[in-house]
Amino acid sequence: MKKWVTKKSGYKVYRALFHMSNAFLITTPEQTILVDTGWRYGRNPLCRNLKRLGISHIDYLILTHTHHDHVSNARYLQETYDAKVWVHHEGAEILKKGESVVPQGTTRISRLIARFIGRHINRFVHYDACLPDTALLPPYSFQAEGMNILLIHTPGHSDDSISILVDDEIVIAGDSLFGVFPHSLFPPFANDTSRLIESWNRLLETPAQLFLPAHGFPKKRRHLEKAVASHKRSIK
Ligand SMILES: [Zn+2]
Ligand SMILES: [Zn+2]
Protein backbone atom coordinates (compact mmCIF):
# COMPACT_ATOMS: atom_id res chain seq x y z
CA MET A 1 0.00 0.00 0.00
CA LYS A 2 1.42 3.36 -1.01
CA LYS A 3 2.31 5.57 1.96
CA TRP A 4 3.63 9.10 2.49
CA VAL A 5 4.95 10.56 5.77
CA THR A 6 4.93 14.32 6.35
CA LYS A 7 8.23 15.85 7.42
CA LYS A 8 6.86 18.32 9.93
CA SER A 9 4.63 16.22 12.18
CA GLY A 10 5.18 12.70 10.87
CA TYR A 11 1.55 12.20 9.83
CA LYS A 12 1.11 9.11 7.70
CA VAL A 13 -1.06 9.19 4.58
CA TYR A 14 -1.95 5.79 3.12
CA ARG A 15 -3.62 5.17 -0.21
CA ALA A 16 -6.14 2.88 1.49
CA LEU A 17 -8.07 2.31 -1.73
CA PHE A 18 -6.57 2.30 -5.20
CA HIS A 19 -9.50 1.45 -7.42
CA MET A 20 -11.90 3.21 -9.75
CA SER A 21 -11.58 6.03 -7.23
CA ASN A 22 -9.02 6.30 -4.45
CA ALA A 23 -9.47 6.77 -0.73
CA PHE A 24 -6.76 7.99 1.65
CA LEU A 25 -6.21 7.32 5.32
CA ILE A 26 -4.42 9.87 7.51
CA THR A 27 -3.05 8.67 10.82
CA THR A 28 -1.45 10.58 13.65
CA PRO A 29 -0.69 9.29 17.15
CA GLU A 30 -4.11 10.63 18.27
CA GLN A 31 -6.48 10.42 15.30
CA THR A 32 -7.47 8.35 12.30
CA ILE A 33 -9.11 10.14 9.39
CA LEU A 34 -10.38 8.58 6.19
CA VAL A 35 -10.90 10.72 3.11
CA ASP A 36 -13.52 9.30 0.71
CA THR A 37 -14.87 5.76 0.51
CA GLY A 38 -14.79 4.71 -3.14
CA TRP A 39 -17.71 3.29 -5.11
CA ARG A 40 -19.68 0.28 -4.00
CA TYR A 41 -17.21 -2.29 -5.37
CA GLY A 42 -14.41 -0.57 -3.50
CA ARG A 43 -15.80 -1.56 -0.11
CA ASN A 44 -14.09 -4.96 0.21
CA PRO A 45 -10.60 -3.85 -0.89
CA LEU A 46 -10.87 -0.77 1.32
CA CYS A 47 -11.90 -2.75 4.39
CA ARG A 48 -9.16 -5.33 3.71
CA ASN A 49 -6.58 -2.56 3.67
CA LEU A 50 -7.96 -1.01 6.85
CA LYS A 51 -7.68 -4.41 8.50
CA ARG A 52 -4.07 -4.77 7.31
CA LEU A 53 -3.35 -1.45 8.99
CA GLY A 54 -5.03 -2.61 12.20
CA ILE A 55 -7.78 0.00 11.92
CA SER A 56 -11.00 -0.89 13.74
CA HIS A 57 -12.14 2.66 14.51
CA ILE A 58 -12.12 5.81 12.36
CA ASP A 59 -12.48 9.18 14.08
CA TYR A 60 -13.52 11.19 11.04
CA LEU A 61 -14.64 10.34 7.54
CA ILE A 62 -14.22 13.40 5.33
CA LEU A 63 -15.98 13.31 1.96
CA THR A 64 -14.38 15.41 -0.76
CA HIS A 65 -17.80 15.69 -2.46
CA THR A 66 -20.98 13.66 -2.86
CA HIS A 67 -20.51 11.86 -6.17
CA HIS A 68 -21.37 8.18 -5.83
CA ASP A 69 -17.84 6.99 -6.63
CA HIS A 70 -16.63 8.75 -3.46
CA VAL A 71 -19.42 8.23 -0.97
CA SER A 72 -21.01 4.87 -1.73
CA ASN A 73 -19.61 3.27 1.44
CA ALA A 74 -20.04 6.26 3.74
CA ARG A 75 -22.98 4.86 5.67
CA TYR A 76 -21.32 1.45 6.05
CA LEU A 77 -18.11 3.02 7.37
CA GLN A 78 -20.05 5.35 9.65
CA GLU A 79 -21.78 2.37 11.21
CA THR A 80 -18.95 -0.16 11.18
CA TYR A 81 -16.03 2.06 12.20
CA ASP A 82 -18.04 4.54 14.26
CA ALA A 83 -16.76 7.32 11.99
CA LYS A 84 -18.07 10.86 12.22
CA VAL A 85 -18.97 11.92 8.69
CA TRP A 86 -18.02 15.39 7.51
CA VAL A 87 -19.25 16.84 4.25
CA HIS A 88 -19.54 20.28 2.71
CA HIS A 89 -22.93 21.76 3.59
CA GLU A 90 -23.95 21.97 -0.09
CA GLY A 91 -23.63 18.18 -0.32
CA ALA A 92 -25.37 17.33 2.96
CA GLU A 93 -28.89 17.03 1.54
CA ILE A 94 -27.66 14.96 -1.43
CA LEU A 95 -25.88 12.54 0.91
CA LYS A 96 -28.97 12.23 3.07
CA LYS A 97 -30.94 11.05 0.02
CA GLY A 98 -28.26 8.72 -1.37
CA GLU A 99 -28.23 10.62 -4.65
CA SER A 100 -25.51 11.74 -7.02
CA VAL A 101 -25.55 14.87 -9.17
CA VAL A 102 -23.82 14.59 -12.53
CA PRO A 103 -21.61 17.58 -13.36
CA GLN A 104 -21.37 18.96 -16.87
CA GLY A 105 -18.84 17.54 -19.30
CA THR A 106 -15.71 19.56 -20.07
CA THR A 107 -15.01 17.89 -23.44
CA ARG A 108 -17.26 17.01 -26.38
CA ILE A 109 -17.37 13.36 -25.38
CA SER A 110 -17.85 13.95 -21.65
CA ARG A 111 -20.64 16.45 -22.42
CA LEU A 112 -22.47 13.71 -24.34
CA ILE A 113 -21.88 11.23 -21.51
CA ALA A 114 -23.06 13.74 -18.90
CA ARG A 115 -26.23 14.43 -20.88
CA PHE A 116 -26.98 10.72 -21.24
CA ILE A 117 -26.12 9.46 -17.74
CA GLY A 118 -27.39 12.62 -16.08
CA ARG A 119 -30.93 11.53 -16.80
CA HIS A 120 -30.48 7.99 -15.54
CA ILE A 121 -27.74 8.14 -12.95
CA ASN A 122 -29.78 7.80 -9.80
CA ARG A 123 -31.27 4.57 -11.11
CA PHE A 124 -27.80 3.05 -11.48
CA VAL A 125 -25.77 4.53 -8.68
CA HIS A 126 -28.11 4.97 -5.78
CA TYR A 127 -26.16 4.30 -2.59
CA ASP A 128 -27.08 3.94 1.08
CA ALA A 129 -28.21 7.35 2.29
CA CYS A 130 -25.98 8.71 5.02
CA LEU A 131 -26.74 11.31 7.64
CA PRO A 132 -23.64 13.47 7.99
CA ASP A 133 -22.49 14.31 11.52
CA THR A 134 -21.18 17.68 10.40
CA ALA A 135 -22.13 19.80 7.39
CA LEU A 136 -19.13 22.05 6.93
CA LEU A 137 -19.58 25.77 6.70
CA PRO A 138 -16.90 28.35 5.93
CA PRO A 139 -14.07 28.69 6.78
CA TYR A 140 -13.80 24.89 7.01
CA SER A 141 -10.77 24.99 9.20
CA PHE A 142 -10.58 21.65 10.91
CA GLN A 143 -7.87 21.31 13.46
CA ALA A 144 -9.09 18.62 15.83
CA GLU A 145 -6.88 18.11 18.85
CA GLY A 146 -4.28 20.50 17.50
CA MET A 147 -3.90 18.58 14.23
CA ASN A 148 -2.47 20.44 11.30
CA ILE A 149 -5.20 19.54 8.83
CA LEU A 150 -7.07 22.15 6.87
CA LEU A 151 -10.16 21.73 4.74
CA ILE A 152 -10.28 24.03 1.74
CA HIS A 153 -13.40 24.67 -0.31
CA THR A 154 -12.40 23.94 -3.92
CA PRO A 155 -15.59 24.17 -5.99
CA GLY A 156 -15.63 23.78 -9.76
CA HIS A 157 -15.85 20.04 -10.33
CA SER A 158 -18.88 20.20 -8.04
CA ASP A 159 -20.21 22.93 -5.77
CA ASP A 160 -19.55 20.83 -2.67
CA SER A 161 -15.92 19.92 -3.45
CA ILE A 162 -13.35 20.26 -0.69
CA SER A 163 -9.65 19.46 -0.60
CA ILE A 164 -7.70 18.47 2.48
CA LEU A 165 -4.31 20.02 3.23
CA VAL A 166 -2.32 17.64 5.42
CA ASP A 167 0.45 19.15 7.54
CA ASP A 168 1.12 21.94 4.99
CA GLU A 169 2.65 19.35 2.63
CA ILE A 170 0.10 17.11 0.94
CA VAL A 171 -3.25 17.95 -0.60
CA ILE A 172 -5.88 15.24 -0.95
CA ALA A 173 -7.75 16.79 -3.85
CA GLY A 174 -10.79 14.62 -4.59
CA ASP A 175 -11.85 15.36 -8.18
CA SER A 176 -10.60 18.95 -8.13
CA LEU A 177 -7.76 17.66 -10.22
CA PHE A 178 -7.37 14.46 -12.19
CA GLY A 179 -4.38 12.12 -12.13
CA VAL A 180 -5.47 9.87 -14.97
CA PHE A 181 -4.10 11.74 -17.99
CA PRO A 182 -0.37 12.30 -18.40
CA HIS A 183 -0.65 15.85 -19.82
CA SER A 184 -3.76 17.27 -18.21
CA LEU A 185 -5.08 17.69 -14.69
CA PHE A 186 -8.44 18.84 -15.95
CA PRO A 187 -11.34 16.63 -14.78
CA PRO A 188 -13.53 15.42 -17.66
CA PHE A 189 -16.55 16.66 -15.72
CA ALA A 190 -16.94 20.02 -13.98
CA ASN A 191 -19.86 22.26 -13.15
CA ASP A 192 -17.92 25.47 -13.47
CA THR A 193 -14.48 25.58 -15.06
CA SER A 194 -13.63 29.13 -14.01
CA ARG A 195 -14.40 28.28 -10.36
CA LEU A 196 -12.23 25.22 -10.79
CA ILE A 197 -9.27 27.36 -11.92
CA GLU A 198 -9.86 29.67 -8.94
CA SER A 199 -9.75 26.57 -6.74
CA TRP A 200 -6.46 25.49 -8.34
CA ASN A 201 -5.05 28.92 -7.53
CA ARG A 202 -6.31 28.56 -3.96
CA LEU A 203 -4.45 25.25 -3.68
CA LEU A 204 -1.30 26.91 -5.01
CA GLU A 205 -1.56 29.50 -2.22
CA THR A 206 -0.79 26.65 0.19
CA PRO A 207 2.79 25.39 0.57
CA ALA A 208 1.74 21.86 -0.57
CA GLN A 209 4.17 20.04 -2.82
CA LEU A 210 2.22 16.87 -3.50
CA PHE A 211 -1.37 16.50 -4.71
CA LEU A 212 -3.27 13.24 -4.45
CA PRO A 213 -6.25 13.02 -6.81
CA ALA A 214 -9.11 10.59 -6.28
CA HIS A 215 -8.64 9.22 -9.79
CA GLY A 216 -5.25 8.16 -11.04
CA PHE A 217 -1.82 9.02 -9.73
CA PRO A 218 -0.18 11.69 -7.54
CA LYS A 219 0.81 15.00 -9.11
CA LYS A 220 3.53 17.41 -8.07
CA ARG A 221 3.18 21.12 -7.44
CA ARG A 222 4.93 21.93 -10.72
CA HIS A 223 2.24 19.98 -12.62
CA LEU A 224 -0.48 22.13 -11.09
CA GLU A 225 1.51 25.34 -11.71
CA LYS A 226 1.93 24.29 -15.34
CA ALA A 227 -1.80 23.53 -15.68
CA VAL A 228 -2.75 26.96 -14.31
CA ALA A 229 -0.25 28.70 -16.61
CA SER A 230 -1.46 26.82 -19.67
CA HIS A 231 -5.07 27.66 -18.86
CA LYS A 232 -4.11 31.36 -18.59
CA ARG A 233 -2.49 31.17 -22.05
CA SER A 234 -5.52 29.42 -23.54
CA ILE A 235 -7.94 32.19 -22.50
CA LYS A 236 -5.74 35.07 -23.73
ZN1 LIG B 1 -16.71 13.74 -8.78
ZN1 LIG C 1 -14.86 10.88 -8.93
Side-chain angles (χ1 to χ4, degrees):
M1 197 181 325
K2 186 85 183 139
K3 176 177 104 175
W4 298 266
V5 182
T6 63
K7 290 187 197 82
K8 206 189 209 174
S9 312
Y11 296 168
K12 295 186 181 101
V13 178
Y14 297 89
R15 188 169 58 194
L17 178 66
F18 184 48
H19 215 252
M20 190 181 99
S21 71
N22 305 328
F24 296 93
L25 185 82
I26 309 162
T27 64
T28 77
E30 295 86 25
Q31 305 277 5
T32 303
I33 298 171
L34 183 67
V35 180
D36 282 347
T37 77
W39 67 325
R40 72 172 94 158
Y41 298 109
R43 182 186 295 179
N44 288 343
L46 173 61
C47 290
R48 262 200 307 274
N49 280 338
L50 293 175
K51 196 171 172 194
R52 273 176 66 197
L53 294 169
I55 303 292
S56 56
H57 168 75
I58 293 167
D59 294 293
Y60 300 101
L61 168 59
I62 302 176
L63 302 172
T64 60
H65 61 299
T66 51
H67 289 157
H68 77 98
D69 53 325
H70 300 254
V71 302
S72 281
N73 302 304
R75 165 107 151 262
Y76 176 81
L77 293 162
Q78 186 183 41
E79 289 173 354
T80 311
Y81 294 83
D82 199 23
K84 289 202 168 42
V85 176
W86 289 38
V87 69
H88 184 272
H89 71 97
E90 290 184 60
E93 289 305 315
I94 300 168
L95 191 67
K96 278 185 207 167
K97 292 184 198 143
E99 289 182 351
S100 207
V101 178
V102 180
Q104 290 162 33
T106 55
T107 65
R108 216 154 43 132
I109 293 171
S110 60
R111 269 194 287 276
L112 276 175
I113 295 171
R115 219 173 297 152
F116 176 73
I117 58 172
R119 276 187 236 128
H120 307 286
I121 189 160
N122 286 315
R123 224 185 316 147
F124 296 117
V125 299
H126 198 77
Y127 55 86
D128 291 335
C130 173
L131 189 67
D133 297 276
T134 302
L136 297 162
L137 291 160
Y140 321 123
S141 173
F142 165 51
Q143 294 190 314
E145 315 233 340
M147 282 180 59
N148 190 16
I149 289 188
L150 192 70
L151 308 189
I152 303 168
H153 188 207
T154 48
H157 170 71
S158 67
D159 297 344
D160 62 356
S161 285
I162 53 173
S163 299
I164 293 93
L165 174 65
V166 183
D167 209 17
D168 297 326
E169 288 175 33
I170 299 172
V171 164
I172 301 174
D175 286 357
S176 291
L177 51 99
F178 251 51
V180 174
F181 315 115
H183 303 299
S184 171
L185 302 189
F186 220 83
F189 300 94
N191 270 349
D192 188 329
T193 50
S194 39
R195 276 184 105 191
L196 181 68
I197 302 301
E198 279 169 30
S199 294
W200 283 2
N201 279 310
R202 199 167 301 148
L203 292 177
L204 285 175
E205 285 165 14
T206 74
Q209 295 297 320
L210 185 69
F211 296 81
L212 307 178
H215 300 279
F217 298 92
K219 295 287 177 182
K220 300 231 166 79
R221 185 179 181 89
R222 65 183 154 82
H223 296 127
L224 187 55
E225 286 169 344
K226 212 170 139 192
V228 169
S230 100
H231 179 78
K232 262 192 210 144
R233 277 197 303 274
S234 74
I235 54 169
K236 262 185 193 161

